[in-house]
Each structure stands twice: as structure tokens, then as C-alpha cells.
């Protein structure tokens, strides 16, 4: 099949891995890139042998079938809508949108246009989580009962050159890192029926200690410590903790899944590989399980390549807009539940994405 021709919008730091891996996947070919700063786009294009241009020119190109949207989160929905209006399929970095209303607009327009929407994170397609999914589905821990997920750190003001947006509306640890953890849990256990949560702002003011803004103050506008509980449609109860307020270290695992016959230790969902361990009922220690799927250390872009394959074949893509919206709604639901002192009943649902088949080489996808 002819490769799907792709244009990238947004040529910041994260674009580099998409350019690199875009050359490795058989289903797509990055042919152009654009940015609000056209000169930056042209410089990036020259590095990778593609065409650099304005966003308007990119969207007007009839040969480009699919857009990879790597703009900042507040622009995600706007650029997705522009791409869809131009008749392009669109894959966007996480999150799908900042608000639920924007996310729904993207999905509704895509449906009207007969176009596909996909969204990061796609780390659940890496060997670590795909191996974990296979173990759950093959019954190694029996019937899933519950799960835990933890992402705690001291915040980003000590290393990020411009950390303010992490503490403004639409930021915070849940919207920053929650997509990785919640997407992994949905891929493992399926959709969520209701959530509740408690949130707080532990430090109303932050001081930047990184360059070039060292010494500047940040007024914190969004919760920075969020504890949530999830009821999954399939029965398990999950907990999640995300925090920018933990100034010491932590020894908690990234994700554990508990079943009637054992416990599964799932690797960091912010990566593609990692170590998978299991403690089965009656055992005396953890057993490390060899990865059953691809071992690429950084396959970022596999979700976009999987969507390109779906455009070619007509099958459903895995990192799809419906799952991304479901995760977005859950993240807002934790905050809503805390503010309102109640459970939040999920209005959306999604299909548990199909696992990748065994035997695929790295950077290859099934038909």
C-alpha cells in the first residue's frame, strides 16, 4: 500500500521523535511540517528533508491526508478542528483537548466528516504494557479486582525553562501525567463508569529555581495533589494519585493490578518497555516476565502509525479519539467530584483497544 502522507503542525522539542520514528513505520511518511513560526518550521524541515511552510499552506496541500498535531495543549482542539475542516485525519499529542466541550466538538466534527481522530499517549502499545495486557487477558492473575496508579514528584519549577503553564488552569499533575496512567488502566481493564476524588493546592505560590526564569514567582491556579477512585465497568475498583507536591522521594510502584489469583506489577506508562513482574497466589516472591511484544525503547508515534494503517485498511485504530475523550472526562471528573463533594458519573465510554498480536517486529503493525 502507498504510505499515508503526513504533515506535522508544531515543531517544538517533541516533534523530533515524531520525525525520527516517522521514517521507521511502514504505514506513514512525514512529508511536511508547519509552525506559527514559519522560519522554525523551515529549519526543522531542512533537518529532516521535508517541506517547511505555514499552517495554512500545509492544510491546503491536497496530497497530505493526515495531520500530527504537536501544538501546546490549549491549541490542541483549535488545530484539530482546522485540520478536520480541511478534510484531514488528525492525530494529536495528549490531551485530546483542555475541556470536555472542546473534545466533544473534535469528535463530532470528525464523525460528520467521516474522518479519524487519534490521540497520544500511545505508550500502552509498547512491549511493557502489551505484555501486561496479555497476562491479564490470559488469566495469570485471575479475575481483576482492583488497580493502583501513582505519579508523584516535587514539581517542574526546578528543571523546566518555562514551568508556569503546569500550574495554571488546564495544568496540574492530573492533566500533565494522568493521560499516561489512565490510558494504561483503560487498556488493561476497559472503560470507567464513575469516579470520585479529592484535590488540593498545597503550595499556593511556587518559586522557579531553573534558568532562565530563576527567582520568578508562580501563582498556582489548579490543584497540584489529586487522589482519585475509579469504578471500572468490568468490576475492578482503581485508585490513582498524582502530585507535584511530594518534596521527598517515593517507593510506590507506578501501576499494580490485583486479581483473584495474583498481583501484576506494570511498568512506567510514560515509557514503552520496562520490567513486568507477577506474584501469583501461593508464590514466595516476584517473578519477572519476559516481554512478549516489541522492545523498542521509544516508539512514540506508533499510535499515529497505527491510525495511518487504519486509514489504509479500514480497521479500528487503537489510540483513538473516543478513548482519549474518555480519559479527558475522567480527569475532569476527579476535579468535579472534589469540588462538588460527590461521585461523578461518566457520560462517555469507549472500547478496550485491541491488543497487538504477537510476533510483530518493532515499528511494524498488523493489518
Amino acid at each position: 500500500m502507498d504510505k499515508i502522507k503526513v504533515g506535522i503542525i508544531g515543531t517544538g522539542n517533541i516533534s523530533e521523535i515524531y520525525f525520527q520514528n516517522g521514517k521507521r513505520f511502514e504505514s506513514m511518511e512525514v512529508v511536511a511540517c508547519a509552525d506559527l513560526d514559519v522560519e522554525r518550521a523551515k529549519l526543522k524541515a531542512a533537518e529532516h528533508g521535508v517541506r517547511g511552510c505555514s499552517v495554512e499552506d500545509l492544510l491546503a496541500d491536497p496530497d497530505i491526508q493526515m495531520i500530527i498535531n504537536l501544538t501546546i495543549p490549549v491549541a490542541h482542539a483549535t488545530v484539530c478542528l482546522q485540520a478536520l475542516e480541511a478534510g484531514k485525519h488528525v492525530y494529536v499529542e495528549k490531551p485530546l483537548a483542555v475541556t470536555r466541550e472542546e473534545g466533544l466538538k473534535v469528535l463530532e466534527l470528525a464523525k460528520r466528516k467521516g474522518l479519524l481522530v487519534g490521540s497520544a499517549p500511545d505508550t500502552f502499545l509498547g512491549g511493557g504494557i502489551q505484555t501486561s495486557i496479555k497476562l491479564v487477558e490470559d488469566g495469570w492473575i485471575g479475575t481483576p479486582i482492583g488497580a493502583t496508579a501513582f505519579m508523584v514528584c516535587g514539581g517542574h519549577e526546578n528543571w523546566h525553562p518555562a514551568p508556569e503553564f503546569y500550574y495554571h488552569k488546564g495544568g496540574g499533575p492530573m492533566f500533565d501525567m494522568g493521560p499516561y496512567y489512565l490510558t494504561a488502566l483503560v487498556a488493561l481493564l476497559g472503560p470507567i463508569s464513575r469516579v470520585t476524588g479529592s484535590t488540593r493546592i498545597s503550595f499556593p505560590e511556587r518559586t522557579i529555581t531553573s534558568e532562565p526564569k530563576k527567582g520568578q514567582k508562580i501563582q498556582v491556579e489548579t490543584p497540584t495533589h489529586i487522589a482519585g477512585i475509579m469504578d471500572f465497568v468490568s468490576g475492578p475498583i482503581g485508585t490513582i494519585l498524582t502530585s507535584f507536591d511530594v518534596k521527598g522521594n517515593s517507593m510506590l510502584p507506578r501501576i499494580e493490578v490485583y486479581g483473584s489469583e495474583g498481583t501484576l506489577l506494570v511498568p512506567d506508562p510514560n515509557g514503552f518497555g520496562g520490567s513486568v513482574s507477577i506474584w501469583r497466589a501461593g508464590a514466595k516472591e516476584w517473578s519477572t516476565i519476559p516481554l512478549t511484544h516489541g522492545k523498542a525503547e521509544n516508539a512514540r508515534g506508533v499510535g499515529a502509525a497505527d491510525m495511518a494503517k487504519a486509514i489504509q485498511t479500514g480497521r479500528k485504530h487503537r489510540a483513538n479519539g473516543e478513548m482519549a475523550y474518555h480519559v479527558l472526562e475522567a480527569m475532569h471528573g476527579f476535579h468535579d467530584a472534589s469540588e462538588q463533594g460527590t461521585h461523578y458519573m461518566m457520560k462517555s465510554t469507549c472500547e478496550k483497544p485491541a491488543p497487538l498480536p504477537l510476533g510483530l517486529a518493532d515499528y511494524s503493525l498488523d493489518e
Side-chain angles (χ1 to χ4, degrees):
M1 294 182 186
D2 291 336
K3 291 186 176 184
I4 298 298
K5 289 183 169 55
V6 173
I8 289 176
I9 297 179
T11 54
N13 290 339
I14 199 171
S15 68
E16 184 64 26
I17 191 63
Y18 279 93
F19 279 108
Q20 292 176 14
N21 284 346
K23 299 170 185 174
R24 297 178 172 129
F25 291 107
E26 60 189 14
S27 59
M28 67 180 187
E29 177 186 6
V30 178
V31 298
C33 65
D35 196 282
L36 288 177
D37 183 342
V38 178
E39 288 307 310
R40 182 167 75 166
K42 289 182 177 179
L43 287 172
K44 182 64 73 172
E47 290 178 24
H48 294 280
V50 303
R51 180 169 66 91
C53 58
S54 69
V55 173
E56 293 75 17
D57 287 343
L58 186 68
L59 293 177
D61 187 336
D63 292 331
I64 293 176
Q65 300 158 272
M66 176 176 148
I67 298 297
I68 295 180
N69 177 3
L70 305 181
T71 57
I72 60 175
V74 293
H76 280 182
T78 298
V79 173
C80 285
L81 292 169
Q82 290 174 339
L84 293 167
E85 288 288 4
K88 318 293 187 187
H89 307 279
V90 63
Y91 181 90
V92 60
E93 253 300 328
K94 57 86 183 171
L96 174 67
V98 171
T99 70
R100 285 163 286 194
E101 293 77 13
E102 289 176 334
L104 283 175
K105 285 181 181 178
V106 171
L107 296 187
E108 290 166 356
L109 180 58
K111 185 175 181 181
R112 289 202 307 271
K113 293 274 190 176
L115 297 166
L116 299 185
V117 172
S119 178
D122 54 7
T123 47
F124 74 95
L125 296 174
I129 294 176
Q130 285 295 306
T131 299
S132 301
I133 290 169
K134 180 166 179 56
L135 290 170
V136 171
E137 294 195 345
D138 287 355
W140 280 56
I141 61 168
T143 301
I145 294 169
T148 60
F150 299 96
M151 193 302 297
V152 300
C153 68
H156 298 340
E157 63 271 24
N158 64 337
W159 65 270
H160 198 283
E164 300 94 326
F165 73 95
Y166 287 108
Y167 301 102
H168 294 163
K169 294 294 185 184
M174 181 59 73
F175 289 103
D176 177 37
M177 295 300 294
Y180 294 103
Y181 291 78
L182 291 170
T183 300
L185 288 172
V186 170
L188 283 158
L189 301 173
I192 302 163
S193 59
R194 73 173 186 173
V195 303
T196 191
S198 293
T199 69
R200 63 172 289 176
I201 297 174
S202 302
F203 308 104
E205 183 178 85
R206 302 262 182 158
T207 301
I208 301 175
T209 58
S210 59
E211 298 293 349
K213 298 184 177 183
K214 186 174 181 178
Q216 292 186 24
K217 304 293 185 181
I218 304 172
Q219 302 305 313
V220 179
E221 302 172 353
T222 191
T224 48
H225 190 93
I226 299 100
I229 298 174
M230 303 156 276
D231 294 344
F232 290 88
V233 173
S234 59
I237 298 171
T239 61
I240 184 169
L241 174 65
T242 65
S243 181
F244 285 164
D245 299 341
V246 177
K247 300 304 182 180
N249 210 331
S250 168
M251 294 181 65
L252 294 171
R254 298 300 186 184
I255 296 178
E256 285 186 342
V257 180
Y258 312 113
S260 59
E261 302 296 330
T263 297
L264 178 65
L265 188 60
V266 180
D268 187 348
N270 194 20
F272 287 85
S275 177
V276 178
S277 298
I278 195 166
W279 192 311
R280 303 188 75 178
K284 296 183 178 180
E285 60 184 10
W286 291 101
S287 297
T288 300
I289 306 297
L291 298 187
T292 58
H293 289 70
K295 298 170 181 63
E297 290 186 4
N298 190 347
R300 189 180 292 271
V302 62
D306 185 64
M307 192 172 93
K309 181 69 78 171
I311 296 169
Q312 292 173 329
T313 65
R315 68 159 169 79
K316 190 174 180 64
H317 58 299
R318 294 171 171 92
N320 56 71
E322 289 76 18
M323 183 169 65
Y325 178 79
H326 190 64
V327 167
L328 176 67
E329 185 187 8
M331 293 191 296
H332 278 287
F334 295 126
H335 291 77
D336 287 357
S338 181
E339 291 174 6
Q340 299 167 14
T342 184
H343 281 90
Y344 174 87
M345 305 302 297
M346 295 285 288
K347 298 176 178 61
S348 69
T349 190
C350 65
E351 294 181 11
K352 189 172 178 286
L356 289 170
L358 295 174
L360 289 177
D362 286 345
Y363 305 107
S364 295
L365 291 157
D366 55 320
E367 297 295 326

